[in-house]
Amino acid sequence: MLRISRLHLIGMVLLAGAVPGRAQSQAAPKAGASASSTKPPTDIYGRDTPRGTVSGLLSAMAERDYSRAGRYFEAKADVRRLTEELQSVLDRSGAIDPFVSLSNDPQGNLEDGLGANIERVGSLSRTGDVPILLTRGGTATAGNVWRVALKTSIAARRLHEHRNTGKGGQPIEIGGAAVGDWSTLLGLASLVFLGFYVVSAGILFVMRRTIHDHERSRTYRVAQAAMPPVSLFGATLLFQLWAGSLPVSIIARQILLRYLGVFAWIALAWFFARMIDAVAQLSINRLKGLERRQAVSVISLVRRAAKLVLLFIAVVAVLDTFGIDVTTGVAALGIGGIALALGAQKTVENLVGSVTLIADKPVQVGDFCKVGDVVGTVEDVGIRSTRIRTLERTVVTIPNGDFSARQIENFARRDSFLFNPIIRLEHGIRSDKLLATLHMMTEILEANEHIIKPGARARLKDINLSSVDIEIFSYIKAEDFDESLIIRQDLLLKIHASLEKAKVPIAYATQTVHLKHVDTDSDDVPAEVSPIIT
């Protein structure tokens, strides 16, 4: 009964101290009713958000500024005692949530299930069953602000009196925390980071001993790239979990844990940057083996872009850890990015065109092609443009946006080469000899191993004014254009030799004109006709 009465007494004392402040906050709107439509002033103590309240309270505790610390409590009775009791309990068994997880919204976290004006920011016990609560209420000078709830102050006093060991003496302090507490935390951090470094070095040593030709091993290269940042991140995480349960100054704990978050973000950015480099290098080596140099340039562009995005995210996260609001800066960058995109439409079009060329792969470096009215060999497919060496040995540069929109004819992609000559014979050839000539040409095609069969044929195409035309239609199977030219030459030589052997005359572009001589003295005498060949 005595204990219950004592708790009730503590509650009444604290509540009595809180009443004047509440009365003033309720009276303030009446005094300033005319200014109710104006925006409330910004709180000079930073109590607009839960994060600002926690930061300001810890700063006041570190400086032993009890007058300022009292501004962060809902209760107003004996603010020095309130501050010392809360700090004592936090030093022994309490913990405050990580800085980055504290809400920086004036409305608080509305999804925590605690109500619109209540926010949990930590715990007074290791088990987490005694929460540290902030409540949002109005003040006469700063509007709605966040302060330590009266319920939390009562719980802190009860835990302080229950666990008070009467530790005497005033220790030497640095930054509001005892030197011994700083030494404990820094020693623990050094031990954890050194331990992770030794473990990662040991793993890499074992891999070097067990993997044959480890320099070419993909597994070892990935592990070598990932191990340092993974070790740094693991050490940071373990220290945060371990330090949160140590009975040391809450000031020292929160300062180290807050800024160790910077190391965590650096470790993550370092890890992903190394992974980007490793994956990009593996892809580049593979593409170089396939002689796809234009894809290499695009991968390099994607790698740089990915690392820039990663750097931006890391910088924003680090600035947020230091309490710098980056919302305005991010919005300004977004507007600037839109303006830049509008001013660089052609550049963006060429970048998209280069990606299209890589994805669709209509040409590759070394291909002989026709793009629009340009015929030549592709020398380079870059990020912005493609260069073609023409038959006149000039270099034509085509922007990739324009290149991807043109009609592209790739001669290097041919799986075979057309052999379609027209053999013109003289009109005087006999029909049996013409038929024998057709069989002879068909046999030449059938005998050549480079001619694709079936489908190869020699047919009488036409009998025109100057010649009897035989058409040969077939496809040559060759690796490239130069080889097809050699095979084509061999076939034409064999056809010509067989025509010579069979004494089949080849027609020339000639025309026979018959001249008629007429005797002017007599119309009955027939004219003498003499041919003139032109």
Side-chain angles (χ1 to χ4, degrees):
M1 292 295 296
L2 180 61
R3 182 176 180 180
I4 295 176
S5 301
R6 186 176 181 184
L7 288 176
H8 284 178
L9 181 61
I10 293 173
M12 287 188 291
V13 171
L14 294 175
L15 186 60
V19 168
R22 290 182 176 177
Q24 291 175 6
S25 65
Q26 294 174 358
K30 296 180 180 180
S34 60
S36 60
S37 61
T38 61
K39 184 178 179 180
T42 303
D43 183 46
I44 62 174
Y45 299 103
R47 299 171 297 177
D48 303 294
T49 64
R51 181 185 292 183
T53 296
V54 172
S55 299
L57 177 59
L58 292 177
S59 175
M61 286 180 176
E63 298 173 5
R64 296 289 191 267
D65 189 346
Y66 299 110
S67 176
R68 180 159 61 93
R71 303 283 184 177
Y72 298 93
F73 288 91
E74 187 178 10
K76 296 301 180 182
D78 196 358
V79 293
R80 175 168 183 166
R81 184 179 179 184
L82 289 174
T83 306
E84 290 178 342
E85 288 173 347
L86 180 60
Q87 183 174 356
S88 175
V89 174
L90 288 173
D91 289 348
R92 293 180 183 178
S93 59
I96 294 177
D97 294 343
F99 180 79
V100 293
S101 67
L102 297 175
S103 175
N104 202 32
D105 189 338
Q107 302 296 326
N109 184 7
L110 300 179
E111 299 179 357
D112 56 4
L114 296 177
N117 295 320
I118 302 176
E119 188 83 5
R120 177 185 173 125
V121 296
S123 174
L124 294 175
S125 64
R126 291 190 177 92
T127 59
D129 56 346
V130 185
I132 301 175
L133 300 177
L134 302 182
T135 58
R136 187 167 182 255
T139 63
T141 58
N144 290 326
V145 296
W146 291 92
R147 292 173 293 182
V148 177
L150 179 63
K151 181 179 178 180
T152 298
S153 299
I154 296 174
R157 177 163 296 182
R158 175 172 54 82
L159 291 173
H160 174 72
E161 293 179 351
H162 178 68
R163 299 176 183 177
N164 187 17
T165 58
K167 182 168 66 174
Q170 183 67 26
I172 301 176
E173 294 184 349
I174 297 178
V179 174
D181 292 341
W182 286 110
S183 301
T184 301
L185 291 172
L186 293 176
L188 176 62
S190 301
L191 180 64
V192 171
F193 281 91
L194 181 61
F196 269 85
Y197 173 79
V198 172
V199 169
S200 63
I203 292 174
L204 291 177
F205 176 78
V206 172
M207 293 182 69
R208 284 195 297 269
R209 293 293 184 180
T210 55
I211 297 178
H212 178 68
D213 196 8
H214 60 272
E215 291 296 334
R216 294 187 178 181
S217 172
R218 183 177 300 179
T219 303
Y220 176 77
R221 291 170 62 183
V222 172
Q224 187 182 33
M227 198 62 70
V230 168
S231 299
L232 179 60
F233 183 77
T236 303
L237 186 63
L238 180 61
F239 177 78
Q240 288 182 342
L241 294 175
W242 200 349
S245 61
L246 291 178
V248 295
S249 171
I250 187 63
I251 306 298
R253 258 190 292 158
Q254 286 303 114
I255 290 176
L256 283 183
L257 292 178
R258 175 177 177 178
Y259 295 110
L260 273 178
V262 175
F263 286 94
W265 281 109
I266 291 174
L268 286 176
W270 188 12
F271 171 77
F272 285 111
R274 285 203 161 199
M275 289 298 99
I276 290 171
D277 286 336
V279 172
Q281 192 60 47
L282 289 174
S283 301
I284 287 173
N285 292 337
R286 181 173 175 272
L287 292 172
K288 283 183 177 179
L290 298 175
E291 296 184 356
R292 295 176 56 186
R293 291 193 299 168
Q294 73 275 25
V296 172
S297 60
V298 172
I299 288 179
S300 299
L301 172 66
V302 172
R303 175 172 61 180
R304 288 193 293 267
K307 292 175 79 171
L308 285 175
V309 172
L310 182 63
L311 177 62
F312 175 75
I313 294 174
V315 169
V316 170
V318 169
L319 292 177
D320 185 65
T321 301
F322 282 104
I324 300 175
D325 187 9
V326 295
T327 305
T328 305
V330 171
L333 286 176
I335 297 173
I338 294 174
L340 180 62
L342 292 175
Q345 290 184 11
K346 283 295 181 182
T347 302
V348 174
E349 179 184 352
N350 292 329
L351 291 176
V352 174
S354 66
V355 174
T356 303
L357 290 177
I358 297 305
D360 195 35
K361 297 184 290 187
V363 294
Q364 296 185 23
V365 175
D367 287 354
F368 185 78
C369 64
K370 180 179 180 181
V371 182
D373 57 351
V374 179
V375 179
T377 302
V378 179
E379 284 200 340
D380 181 60
V381 180
I383 300 301
R384 194 198 70 84
S385 62
T386 298
R387 293 194 296 273
I388 297 179
R389 176 78 64 176
T390 66
L391 298 178
E392 290 79 14
R393 305 307 297 164
T394 61
V395 176
V396 177
T397 301
I398 306 175
N400 285 335
D402 187 20
F403 190 97
S404 61
R406 292 189 184 185
Q407 182 178 354
I408 302 172
E409 184 177 1
N410 192 338
F411 299 105
R413 296 290 181 87
R414 291 185 292 192
D415 55 354
S416 58
F417 298 83
L418 179 64
F419 180 63
N420 184 219
I422 302 296
I423 309 299
R424 304 182 189 278
L425 306 179
E426 289 185 354
H427 273 289
I429 186 171
R430 300 190 311 271
S431 60
D432 58 338
K433 200 165 189 178
L434 178 60
L435 184 60
T437 301
L438 291 173
H439 286 302
M440 176 184 62
M441 292 183 180
T442 302
E443 290 175 357
I444 292 175
L445 296 176
E446 294 289 342
N448 194 295
E449 61 180 1
H450 298 289
I451 296 297
I452 298 176
K453 308 174 216 30
R457 61 185 182 271
R459 299 288 186 267
L460 179 61
K461 180 182 179 183
D462 198 5
I463 299 176
N464 54 40
L465 294 176
S466 61
S467 63
V468 177
D469 297 342
I470 296 177
E471 180 188 30
I472 296 176
F473 187 89
S474 62
Y475 286 100
I476 299 173
K477 186 177 182 179
E479 294 294 333
D480 51 39
F481 183 70
D482 290 338
E483 184 182 356
S484 72
L485 290 179
I486 295 174
I487 298 171
R488 179 185 180 87
Q489 173 185 275
D490 181 60
L491 288 169
L492 290 174
L493 288 174
K494 287 181 179 180
I495 291 172
H496 191 273
S498 64
L499 291 175
E500 284 185 341
K501 185 177 180 180
K503 296 182 180 180
V504 176
I506 298 176
Y508 299 97
T510 61
Q511 184 177 10
T512 302
V513 180
H514 295 271
L515 300 180
K516 184 177 182 181
H517 299 278
V518 180
D519 188 353
T520 57
D521 295 335
S522 177
D523 295 334
D524 298 331
V525 179
E528 181 182 356
V529 179
S530 60
I532 298 178
I533 300 175
T534 61

